Amino acid sequence: RCKMAAAEGGGGSVNPFLSDSEEDESEEPRPGGGGALELHTELLECGRELPRLRDYFSNPGNFERQSGTPPAAPGPAFSTAMGGPCKEPLPRGGGQEDRAGSISTLDSLDFARYSDDGNRETDERVAVLEFELRKAKETIQALRANLTQAAENEVPLQERKNYKSSPEIQEPIKPLEKRALNFLVNEFLLKNSYKLTSITFSDENDDQDFELWDDVGLNIPKPPDLLQLYRDFGNHQVTAKNVVDVAVGVEEDELEVTTPVLGNIPVFNTTQSIEQCLVVQKLEDQISALNSEKWSLMEQIRRLESEIDFFKRDFAVPVVYDVQTSLDQVPLTVLEDNAQYLDIKSSENDDKLGKTEELILSTSTEEESRTPKDDALNSLPSKEKMPSCSPSSKAAVHFDKPNRKLSPAFHQALLSFCRMSADSRLGSEVSRIADSEKSVMLMLGRCLPHIVPNVLLAKREELIPLILCTACLHPESKERDQLLHILFNLIKRPDDEQRQMILTGCVAFARHVGPTRVEAELLPQCWEQINHKYPERRLLVAESCGALAPYLPKEIRSSLVLSMLQQMLMEDKADLVREAVIKSLGIIMGYIDDPDKYQQGFELLLSALGDPSERVVSATHQVFLPAYAAWTTELGNLQSHLIPTLLNKIEKLLREGEHGLDEHKLHLYLSALQSLIPSLFSLVLQNAPFTSKAKLQGDVPQIEVTRFPRPASPLQDVATIVGSREQLAVLLQLYDYQLEHEGTTGWETLLWVVNQLLPQLIEIVGKINVASTACVHEFSRFFWRLCRTFGKIFTNTKVKPQFQEILRLSEENIDSTAGNGVLTKATVPIYATGVLTCYIQEEDRKLLVGFLEDVMTMLSLSHAPLDSLKASFVELGANPAYHELLLTVLWYGVVHTSALVRCTAARMFELTLRGMSEALVDKRVAPALVTLSSDPEFSVRIATIPAFGTIMETVTQRELLERVKMQLASFLEDPQYQDQHSLQTEIIKTFGRVGPNAEPRFRDEFVIPHLLKLALVNNQQSVDSKRLDIATHLFEAYSALSCCFISEDLMVNHFLPGLRCLRIDMEHLSPEHEVILSSMIKECEQKVENKTVQEPPGSMSIAASLVSEDTKTKFLNKMGQLTTSGAMLANVFQRKK
C-alpha cells in the first residue's frame, strides 16, 4: 500500500519496503523510511496496527551501527517479514561524508536525499523526532524495570562459582533469559496455531508484553525463532567442558568452543564473528570463576583469623607483619594489563610453571620501575598498614606464616594484582574497620559530609541524631564545626516541625557538652546565619538563641546573645522572625543576672511595644514583658522605675498632645501598664506583713473562677508568678483579712499603690480629652483590670473614695464652677465604666445608677457640656447588659421636675438606641419619648427629634415606625410649631443624618416631600440669619440624600424643585453655595433626560452624576472654599447602608 525505504543513515541497510522494479524506476532514492514511519503512526492512531511495521520500528537493532565495521545487511528475519529479498546498500551521492548515526534512534535517517517533495521534508523530520522521543521514553521505562529486576535476582558469587566448577549443577535461569525465551515460545505458539495455549501462557506471564520485543531488554537484538535455532543447533559442535582444579590455570589454547548464551551475545552473520564471541564468553566465565574463588578464600581467611583470635585471647602476643604473612590473605587474580590468568600449575606442568614465573617476574620488575603514585594505586591496603585491633584490645591478632621460600619482591608483586578500591575516598573508608568509639566518630565525621547532600530534603531530619552524636563525640574541633555547620544548613527552608527537631537536637547537644563548647561551637553557627536570605533560617537562629539560653555562660547570655537578638529585632523585616526574637528575649530575661543590662532591656521593651506588627506586640505582652517584669521585681525597680517611667511618658504625651494626641503611643504605654498589673499585685502579696504566715496547711480555700481577669498568657497569671494556685489561695485569704481588719500599716508596696500610683492615674485621667472615645475606652479597661485584680475590698476602700473625693458629688456644688469642672472631664466616664462596673451585685448597680443620675442632674442644672455623660452612655451602651440600667437612669430624667434634666434625658436617648433590641425600644424607649414630646417645654419636645430619627434609622417594626412617623408629622404640620426655628433646624439636621440609612419608603414619602415644603417656606423668611441657617442645613441634607437612589418621578416632582428653591436662597445669601447647587441641578436634569431616552428607570442613582471629572473638580473646589461644618462634608459622601 505504500513505498517503504530502510533507514539508510542508521545502519546503511537496504530498503526492504521497496520492490525491485520500483527501486529501479526511481531516479533518486525516495523517502521511504519517513513514509513508512508516517503510515505506521497513522495506522497506530487509527487502531489498525500492522505487525510488520510494528516489529520493524520497535526493534532498535534496525537502527544501530557497530563502530568501526561496515554497515551490515538486515537479518533474514527482517527481510522475510517484509516480503522481499535483501538488497545491497544504496550508494551515497556527491561524495557526502558518512553521518554518525545514533545508537538506538532514527536520528541517522537522512531523508533529504530521498525527498522528491521538499515541502514534506520538515514534516517528515518532525514525525521521526516525535517517534524517537516516544521510543526513548518507552526504552527508559523498560530499562529501569529490567535493571531493578536484574538487581533483585542477581545470583550470588559463591553460587555462580559452584555452577561454573560443577557442570552437573545447572545455573538458574536469568530474568533476561527467561523473558527472551518466553517471547520466543509465545511466538512459536502463535505461528503454529496454538492460540489458546498462547493466551494461557500470556496470562501466566502478565508482567511481560509479548507484542513488543523491546520489553525483553534494552538494545537486545531479537534472535531467530525457535525453529531456526533448533535447525542451526546441529551446525555447532558442543563438547563437554573439562573440569579444572581451582589451583590450575587454563591456557588460551585450551579454551573450548561452546554455544553462546542467547540474550548476552548478539547474532552475527559470519562464522568468524561467532567464534570471537564464543572466546569472549569463555574468558568471562573464567573471570567469574576466579573472582568467586578469590572471595571464597578471603572469607576463609577471615574465619581462620577469628578462630586464632579466640584461641589466643588470653595471650598478649605481639603481632608481626611482613610481606610474607600477607601472602595468604588474597588469592591470585587477573592481571590487569594483558587480561591473562596467572596461577601456579601442578607439578606435572613444570614447563608451564616456569613460563608463568617468568611472566610474574617480568611483571614485578615492571612494577618496581613504576612511579610511587602508580605503586600506590595498585597496592593493597593490607593489614601491615592498618592493624585491626587497638592497643586496648583484650587479645592481639596473629597470622600464621606460610612455609614458603618465595622472595618478598615476588610476594609484593603478587599482591599487586589484588584489585581493591583503596585509591578512592570511599574505598579507603570501606577498607578500614572502626574498632573503637573514637575511630567510629572519626569515620562518621569523614563520611557524613558526603552522605548529607545525597539524602532527600524531605527526609534529612532523619540525619539529625547521627550528626549531633558525631559532633558531640568527635575529637577534632574542625570536624565538629563542619558537622554543626551541616546541621544548621541541613534543610534549605526548614518548616516549623523541622526547626523544632533541630532545636531539640541543639539542646541535647548543649546538655551533653557544657557551656564552653556551646559558646565556642554552636553560637558561631547562629551568628553566621543571622542575615541569611531565607526567613526560615533566620527564624531558626532566633529560636536557637532562646533554646540555648539556659546552657550558655552567663556572660555570653547578657552580651553576645542579647546583642544578636537586639540586632535582629531592629533590622529583620520578617514579622515571624521578630516574633521569635521577642520570645527568645523573654527567655533571656528569665536567665540574665547582670543589673547593668536593665536599661538595655527597657529600651528593647519599648522597641518591641512600638513594633508595627501585631504578632510582635502580642508576643511582647505574652512573653517578653512578664519576663522583664519578673527581673525588674527582683531588682526592686518595678515600683521605683518601670511603672513610674511609663506613667511619666503618658503624662508627657498628654502635655504635648493639646493640639493632637498620639493615641497610638498612648495605647502602647497604657497596654504595657495593664500587662504589668499581675506582676504588681504579686509584688504586693509577696511583700505583705502576712507573707510569713502563708503556709499550706489543711484545706486550701478555692479561688473563684471570676476572681481575676483572664490572663493574656500563663506568664501573666498571678498563680504562675506566685508559684501555685494553692499558694495564691492562701495569700488571697490573708490579703482580704488584712485589708478588712488590720489595715495597711507597714505595707510599703500596697501603700505605694494607694498613695502614689492611684493619685497619679486619676490626675492623668483628668487630662484626657473626653471626646476621644479610644482613650476613654483604654483607661476604662485599665482601671477595670486593676480593680478586679486587687479585689473588691481594695476597690471599695481605696479606689472609690479617691474618685469620689475628686468628683465631690453634692447639691451644694451645683452652682460652683470649681466643683463642676471635673464633671466635664474624662474622670466621669472612666470612673463609671472602669471602676463602678467591676462588680455587678445589686448594691454595685445601684451605686452606678445613682452616680449617673447625679452627674446628669448636676450637668443639666449647671448648663455644663454633656460630653462626659455622653461618653459614659456610649461606653456602657456598647454592652447590652447595661441597656436596662441606662434606661432606668433616663427614666429618672424623664420624670424629673427640671426641664433642663428632662431635655438632657431626651438627648441621651439617641445614644442608647444603637444596638438596643427592638423589644426594649418598643416597651421602654418609645413611651418615654412620647411622654417627652408632649412636654410643656418646647425645648424638651425639640430634644426628642434626634431620638425619633434614630428609631426610623435602626428599627424595622412597622407599627413602631408609623407611630414615629405620625409624631414627626405633628411637629411639621401643627400650627404651633410653624414659627419654631430651632424645631425646623433640628428636623432638617435629623433628616439629613438618617435619610440615607432610613427605610426607602419613609425617605421617599416623608423626608424628601417635607424638605421641599421647608425649602418653600424658607424662601418667604424675612430674617436673613434664620433664612441662611435653614438654607445651610437644607444644603447639607440635600447633599447627603443625593447619594441615594431617587426615582424619576420623585426627582422631577420633589427633589429638583427643592434644589431650585434652595438655589434662590443661596443666590442672595451664599453665592459659593449657589454655584454648587447649580451644578447639582444641571447634573440631575441631565440624568433625568438620559434615563428617559437611553436607560430604563432606576438604573443609576444621582450619586453617579458626581463622578464625571468636570463636576468633581468644580464640586471639590467649591467645597474647599466653604466654611460650613465638617458634618456636611461627611454627609455628602455618605452611602446608604
Side-chain angles (χ1 to χ4, degrees):
R1 197 183 149 181
C2 69
K3 301 174 184 178
M4 306 176 181
E8 178 271 333
S13 61
V14 300
N15 189 343
F17 296 94
L18 243 85
S19 65
D20 295 349
S21 59
E22 288 175 324
E23 186 172 352
D24 294 336
E25 289 174 1
S26 60
E27 294 181 1
E28 62 180 13
R30 299 174 61 89
L37 177 59
E38 183 177 359
L39 173 63
H40 173 57
T41 306
E42 292 176 357
L43 292 176
L44 188 62
E45 292 173 351
C46 296
R48 299 185 296 173
E49 184 181 16
L50 287 180
R52 292 182 177 180
L53 291 176
R54 180 196 63 210
D55 293 343
Y56 177 76
F57 284 108
S58 63
N59 188 359
N62 294 326
F63 309 106
E64 294 180 355
R65 169 182 297 174
Q66 300 296 330
S67 59
T69 62
F78 175 77
S79 60
T80 303
M82 292 298 105
C86 296
K87 286 187 172 290
E88 292 299 321
L90 294 173
R92 303 184 64 91
Q96 183 179 355
E97 292 183 3
D98 197 22
R99 293 179 57 190
S102 61
I103 298 302
S104 62
T105 70
L106 298 180
D107 186 65
S108 57
L109 290 176
D110 190 357
F111 294 120
R113 293 179 59 249
Y114 299 101
S115 177
D116 56 353
D117 184 2
N119 296 330
R120 298 182 57 193
E121 178 182 347
T122 303
D123 294 339
E124 291 175 346
R125 182 63 177 169
V126 170
V128 170
L129 292 176
E130 290 176 349
F131 176 79
E132 286 182 346
L133 178 60
R134 190 160 59 249
K135 295 304 296 180
K137 289 181 179 178
E138 295 173 358
T139 301
I140 291 171
Q141 185 177 2
L143 175 61
R144 288 174 176 168
N146 290 339
L147 287 178
T148 303
Q149 190 171 6
E152 291 175 350
N153 296 279
E154 184 68 31
V155 180
L157 289 175
Q158 183 63 30
E159 294 182 18
R160 196 177 303 164
K161 185 266 297 183
N162 294 334
Y163 301 141
K164 296 295 182 181
S165 59
S166 303
E168 66 273 11
I169 304 176
Q170 185 177 3
E171 181 177 352
I173 188 170
K174 298 179 180 178
L176 186 64
E177 295 171 339
K178 180 180 177 182
R179 297 173 70 86
L181 289 174
N182 285 347
F183 187 94
L184 294 176
V185 169
N186 185 73
E187 184 182 46
F188 172 81
L189 293 173
L190 288 175
K191 286 183 178 180
N192 292 275
S193 302
Y194 296 105
K195 294 185 178 179
L196 291 178
T197 308
S198 173
I199 293 172
T200 305
F201 187 76
S202 299
D203 292 339
E204 292 177 346
N205 295 277
D206 56 352
D207 61 336
Q208 185 171 351
D209 183 8
F210 289 107
E211 297 291 328
L212 185 63
W213 168 254
D214 276 355
D215 186 66
V216 173
L218 181 65
N219 292 343
I220 303 299
K222 183 177 179 298
D225 56 19
L226 287 179
L227 180 59
Q228 189 170 348
L229 287 174
Y230 177 77
R231 291 172 177 171
D232 188 63
F233 183 79
N235 297 330
H236 302 283
Q237 181 182 3
V238 183
T239 59
K241 180 178 178 182
N242 293 331
V243 180
V244 183
D245 189 83
V246 294
V248 180
V250 182
E251 290 293 336
E252 181 177 353
D253 55 356
E254 294 179 347
L255 293 174
E256 298 291 338
V257 178
T258 59
T259 303
V261 180
L262 293 177
N264 292 334
I265 303 176
V267 179
F268 295 90
N269 290 333
T270 63
T271 305
Q272 183 180 1
S273 299
I274 294 176
E275 292 177 353
Q276 291 177 352
C277 182
L278 294 175
V279 171
V280 172
Q281 180 66 25
K282 187 66 175 179
L283 292 174
E284 289 179 353
D285 291 342
Q286 287 282 21
I287 293 173
S288 176
L290 290 174
N291 282 334
S292 301
E293 179 67 17
K294 177 187 71 174
W295 293 111
S296 175
L297 291 175
M298 291 184 69
E299 183 64 28
Q300 186 177 0
I301 289 172
R302 292 193 187 96
R303 186 172 63 253
L304 292 173
E305 287 175 353
S306 62
E307 291 177 1
I308 293 171
D309 182 56
F310 175 76
F311 287 123
K312 297 185 178 182
R313 185 169 297 171
D314 298 331
F315 300 95
V317 180
V319 184
V320 181
Y321 296 96
D322 56 15
V323 178
Q324 265 191 321
T325 56
S326 302
L327 268 174
D328 296 339
Q329 298 175 23
V330 184
L332 299 176
T333 186
V334 65
L335 180 61
E336 184 175 356
D337 294 337
N338 55 15
Q340 300 294 321
Y341 290 89
L342 306 178
D343 207 338
I344 300 174
K345 305 286 181 163
S346 61
S347 58
E348 61 186 14
N349 294 323
D350 291 337
D351 53 338
K352 295 181 180 179
L353 175 60
K355 296 178 181 177
T356 305
E357 289 178 345
E358 290 175 1
L359 180 57
I360 293 177
L361 288 174
S362 63
T363 306
S364 63
T365 306
E366 181 181 346
E367 289 288 329
E368 291 173 358
S369 64
R370 293 181 182 177
T371 62
K373 179 180 179 180
D374 295 332
D375 186 62
L377 290 176
N378 291 285
S379 63
L380 171 70
S382 56
K383 295 188 177 181
E384 67 268 24
K385 300 177 184 177
M386 295 172 292
S388 61
C389 58
S390 63
S392 61
S393 299
K394 292 182 180 180
V397 179
H398 177 72
F399 298 99
D400 290 338
K401 296 182 179 181
N403 187 18
R404 299 292 302 275
K405 297 181 180 179
L406 299 177
S407 67
F410 184 86
H411 283 157
Q412 184 65 36
L414 194 60
L415 289 176
S416 67
F417 291 93
C418 295
R419 301 182 60 188
M420 303 189 74
S421 182
D423 54 342
S424 64
R425 179 195 61 80
L426 186 58
S428 175
E429 296 293 347
V430 171
S431 64
R432 288 183 284 182
I433 303 299
D435 56 0
S436 65
E437 270 190 22
K438 181 178 180 181
S439 57
V440 171
M441 291 302 110
L442 291 172
M443 180 271 293
L444 287 174
R446 293 189 301 269
C447 293
L448 277 173
H450 301 279
I451 295 173
V452 171
N454 297 298
V455 178
L456 291 175
L457 285 173
K459 296 295 182 182
R460 285 193 180 175
E461 62 264 26
E462 300 291 340
L463 292 171
I464 293 176
L466 202 58
I467 295 173
L468 284 168
C469 182
T470 309
C472 283
L473 302 177
H474 203 284
E476 298 179 13
S477 60
K478 184 177 180 181
E479 294 295 329
R480 294 198 301 268
D481 289 341
Q482 183 183 7
L483 289 168
L484 291 175
H485 179 77
I486 290 174
L487 176 66
F488 274 82
N489 294 272
L490 189 63
I491 303 168
K492 187 177 182 181
R493 306 183 75 159
D495 58 24
D496 189 51
E497 185 177 352
Q498 291 168 333
R499 289 197 308 274
Q500 289 180 17
M501 202 61 60
I502 295 174
L503 289 177
T504 304
C506 289
V507 170
F509 177 88
R511 288 174 175 171
H512 188 273
V513 302
T516 304
R517 279 184 59 183
V518 174
E519 174 192 353
E521 297 174 12
L522 267 184
L523 274 188
Q525 302 300 330
C526 296
W527 183 260
E528 286 179 5
Q529 304 208 21
I530 197 172
N531 293 315
H532 200 279
K533 64 178 180 178
Y534 292 132
E536 291 85 354
R537 301 281 277 275
R538 303 197 301 274
L539 196 56
L540 178 62
V541 173
E543 293 170 342
S544 299
C545 291
L548 296 175
Y551 311 103
L552 288 167
K554 60 180 183 179
E555 299 82 5
I556 297 300
R557 275 198 297 259
S558 58
S559 57
L560 177 60
V561 179
L562 193 62
S563 300
M564 289 172 59
L565 292 173
Q566 182 176 9
Q567 177 182 338
M568 296 183 75
L569 179 63
M570 301 301 178
E571 298 178 0
D572 207 295
K573 297 180 180 179
D575 294 351
L576 285 173
V577 177
R578 296 201 305 278
E579 181 186 12
V581 167
I582 291 299
K583 293 178 180 178
S584 294
L585 277 172
I587 297 173
I588 292 292
M589 291 301 154
Y591 285 90
I592 198 169
D593 55 2
D594 184 2
D596 295 338
K597 299 296 180 180
Y598 171 79
Q599 188 61 34
Q600 184 180 356
F602 182 70
E603 294 171 359
L604 287 172
L605 174 63
L606 295 180
S607 300
L609 289 171
D611 195 276
S613 171
E614 286 295 330
R615 300 177 66 101
V616 177
V617 175
S618 177
T620 303
H621 286 286
Q622 292 176 8
V623 183
F624 184 24
L625 183 56
Y628 182 73
W631 184 36
T632 305
T633 302
E634 292 180 21
L635 294 176
N637 292 338
L638 184 64
Q639 293 180 335
S640 63
H641 177 267
L642 184 55
I643 294 178
T645 303
L646 292 174
L647 288 173
N648 293 336
K649 287 183 177 295
I650 292 176
E651 288 184 329
K652 183 179 179 182
L653 271 180
L654 295 174
R655 286 196 304 270
E656 297 174 351
E658 295 179 359
H659 304 291
L661 180 63
D662 189 344
E663 293 186 359
H664 174 69
K665 282 191 175 181
L666 181 65
H667 168 74
L668 185 153
Y669 298 136
L670 196 56
S671 63
L673 279 175
Q674 185 170 305
S675 297
L676 288 172
I677 291 175
S679 300
L680 178 62
F681 184 62
S682 301
L683 176 66
V684 170
L685 289 180
Q686 292 171 336
N687 289 272
F690 52 78
T691 304
S692 58
K693 305 175 187 177
K695 296 181 181 180
L696 296 174
Q697 295 177 351
D699 295 336
V700 179
Q702 293 293 323
I703 303 175
E704 295 182 10
V705 178
T706 58
R707 170 61 179 82
F708 292 100
R710 184 185 299 274
S713 78
L715 296 179
Q716 289 190 19
D717 189 350
V718 180
T720 304
I721 300 173
V722 170
S724 68
R725 197 161 185 84
E726 294 76 15
Q727 182 71 18
L728 177 61
V730 174
L731 289 172
L732 284 177
Q733 189 178 31
L734 296 172
Y735 169 79
D736 291 339
Y737 182 84
Q738 181 83 17
L739 283 179
E740 192 171 3
H741 298 96
E742 298 183 6
T744 59
T745 305
W747 199 346
E748 297 297 333
T749 53
L750 186 67
L751 288 174
W752 180 86
V753 176
V754 175
N755 298 330
Q756 297 187 42
L757 178 62
L758 283 175
Q760 190 173 0
L761 283 171
I762 294 174
E763 182 182 357
I764 290 173
V765 163
K767 299 176 182 178
I768 296 174
N769 180 10
V770 70
S772 175
T773 307
C775 293
V776 171
H777 178 74
E778 290 282 343
F779 273 96
S780 173
R781 292 300 88 195
F782 173 80
F783 272 98
W784 186 87
R785 295 186 75 90
L786 179 70
C787 294
R788 286 301 298 268
T789 302
F790 277 81
K792 187 172 184 178
I793 298 175
F794 179 85
T795 303
N796 291 334
T797 59
K798 305 299 178 184
V799 180
K800 290 179 181 178
Q802 293 200 35
F803 272 100
Q804 291 167 357
E805 176 66 24
I806 295 294
L807 294 172
R808 284 179 286 183
L809 296 172
S810 59
E811 292 293 333
E812 62 190 25
N813 292 325
I814 289 178
D815 297 327
S816 172
T817 305
N820 291 324
V822 72
L823 293 181
T824 62
K825 296 180 180 179
T827 310
V828 170
I830 290 172
Y831 175 58
T833 61
V835 178
L836 297 181
T837 61
C838 285
Y839 302 96
I840 55 176
Q841 281 79 13
E842 188 61 30
E843 61 271 17
D844 301 309
R845 298 177 70 88
K846 287 182 179 180
L847 184 61
L848 177 59
V849 169
F851 174 73
L852 291 175
E853 290 175 352
D854 291 344
V855 170
M856 182 171 63
T857 302
M858 296 179 68
L859 290 177
S860 302
L861 296 179
S862 60
H863 300 278
L866 302 176
D867 292 339
S868 60
L869 186 63
K870 289 180 179 179
S872 302
F873 271 72
V874 169
E875 186 71 21
L876 290 171
N879 187 351
Y882 293 107
H883 286 171
E884 288 274 5
L885 184 145
L886 292 177
L887 291 177
T888 302
V889 175
L890 291 178
W891 186 253
Y892 166 83
V894 169
V895 298
H896 200 277
T897 56
S898 171
L900 294 172
V901 178
R902 295 197 303 274
C903 187
T904 300
R907 295 189 178 279
M908 291 298 108
F909 272 109
E910 177 192 356
L911 301 175
T912 59
L913 284 168
R914 299 187 185 279
M916 188 175 290
S917 66
E918 292 191 9
L920 208 56
V921 173
D922 187 28
K923 293 179 180 178
R924 299 284 302 273
V925 178
L929 288 176
V930 170
T931 301
L932 292 174
S933 65
S934 58
D935 194 270
E937 292 291 334
F938 277 100
S939 60
V940 177
R941 301 180 190 178
I942 294 170
T944 62
I945 293 175
F948 281 121
T950 303
I951 292 177
M952 298 299 298
E953 188 180 11
T954 58
V955 174
T956 59
Q957 188 178 337
R958 176 66 58 185
E959 182 182 352
L960 181 57
L961 290 176
E962 288 297 328
R963 287 162 57 192
V964 172
K965 183 178 176 182
M966 290 174 57
Q967 184 62 50
L968 291 175
S970 68
F971 285 145
L972 289 167
E973 297 169 2
D974 195 328
Q976 63 177 328
Y977 301 118
Q978 293 298 322
D979 296 329
Q980 292 294 328
H981 176 76
S982 58
L983 183 141
Q984 294 175 358
T985 303
E986 197 67 47
I987 285 182
I988 295 172
K989 288 167 61 178
T990 301
F991 282 173
R993 177 173 58 85
V994 305
N997 304 318
E999 185 186 21
R1001 181 181 173 187
F1002 170 72
R1003 180 176 64 242
D1004 296 344
E1005 296 179 0
F1006 189 81
V1007 174
I1008 294 178
H1010 278 93
L1011 284 177
L1012 173 59
K1013 292 179 182 179
L1014 291 169
L1016 288 170
V1017 171
N1018 197 51
N1019 286 154
Q1020 311 301 323
Q1021 177 63 252
S1022 58
V1023 181
D1024 288 347
S1025 60
K1026 293 184 178 180
R1027 186 179 179 185
L1028 178 60
D1029 190 26
I1030 295 292
T1032 302
H1033 290 297
L1034 281 172
F1035 177 81
E1036 294 180 4
Y1038 273 111
S1039 299
L1041 291 170
S1042 66
C1043 296
C1044 305
F1045 169 75
I1046 301 174
S1047 65
E1048 182 181 352
D1049 180 66
L1050 191 65
M1051 177 72 72
V1052 173
N1053 296 327
H1054 294 92
F1055 197 82
L1056 275 173
L1059 286 176
R1060 294 188 182 105
C1061 292
L1062 183 58
R1063 183 172 61 177
I1064 294 173
D1065 293 335
M1066 293 303 184
E1067 285 178 353
H1068 301 286
L1069 304 173
S1070 180
E1072 62 272 16
H1073 285 82
E1074 188 271 335
V1075 175
I1076 299 174
L1077 283 169
S1078 298
S1079 177
M1080 291 173 65
I1081 293 170
K1082 183 178 179 181
E1083 292 292 333
C1084 290
E1085 290 173 347
Q1086 290 179 354
K1087 290 298 177 183
V1088 171
E1089 293 175 1
N1090 292 339
K1091 284 181 180 180
T1092 304
V1093 176
Q1094 298 177 356
E1095 300 177 3
S1099 62
M1100 188 176 293
S1101 67
I1102 297 303
S1105 66
L1106 301 178
V1107 179
S1108 65
E1109 290 298 326
D1110 296 339
T1111 303
K1112 183 171 67 175
T1113 304
K1114 290 189 289 184
F1115 182 76
L1116 293 177
N1117 287 341
K1118 290 299 179 183
M1119 293 293 282
Q1121 299 171 5
L1122 299 181
T1123 58
T1124 53
S1125 66
M1128 182 269 289
L1129 294 176
N1131 289 333
V1132 169
F1133 301 103
Q1134 184 177 7
R1135 290 191 176 274
K1136 183 180 183 303
K1137 294 181 181 178

